[in-house]
């Protein structure tokens, strides 16, 4: 009788442990997916920042050249 009770308790604990492991694995998968999306977004933002920097440098160069020509 006591053995049956102990086996039931052990079985219940194993079940809860497996459920917790499955829940944690789902959470890991969700976080990994979110991380991948954020890394892609970051990459796109970096590309856009680089493009804007180049555009700004080009505009500054054009402005500098125009100012020099005006005062020559």
């Amino acid at each position: 009788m006591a053995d049956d009770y102990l086996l039931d308790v052990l079985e219940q604990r194993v079940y809860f442990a497996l459920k917790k492991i499955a829940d944690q694995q789902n959470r890991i998968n969700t976080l990994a997916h979110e991380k991948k999306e954020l890394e892609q977004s970051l990459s796109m933002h970096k590309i856009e920042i680089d493009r804007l920097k180049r555009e700004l440098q080009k505009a500054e160069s054009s402005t500098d050249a125009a100012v020099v020509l005006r005062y020559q």
Side-chain angles (χ1 to χ4, degrees):
M1 187 75 172
D3 288 341
D4 289 341
Y5 172 75
L6 290 175
L7 286 175
D8 287 343
V9 170
L10 182 59
E11 184 179 347
Q12 193 175 40
R13 288 183 181 174
V14 168
Y15 170 78
F16 285 125
L18 290 174
K19 183 175 180 341
K20 187 163 188 155
I21 290 168
D23 291 344
Q24 291 299 316
Q25 188 61 50
N26 286 336
R27 181 72 176 139
I28 289 168
N29 291 340
T30 299
L31 291 172
H33 181 71
E34 288 176 9
K35 178 184 177 224
K36 184 177 179 180
E37 287 178 344
L38 290 170
E39 285 174 339
Q40 289 173 346
S41 178
L42 177 62
S43 177
M44 290 173 53
H45 282 90
K46 284 182 177 180
I47 290 168
E48 180 66 9
I49 288 170
D50 289 342
R51 185 189 67 77
L52 290 171
K53 283 181 180 178
R54 286 191 305 273
E55 192 176 305
L56 179 60
Q57 288 173 345
K58 185 178 176 182
E60 287 174 342
S61 296
S62 298
T63 303
D64 289 345
V67 168
V68 168
L69 284 175
R70 185 177 358 162
Y71 288 107
Q72 278 182 348

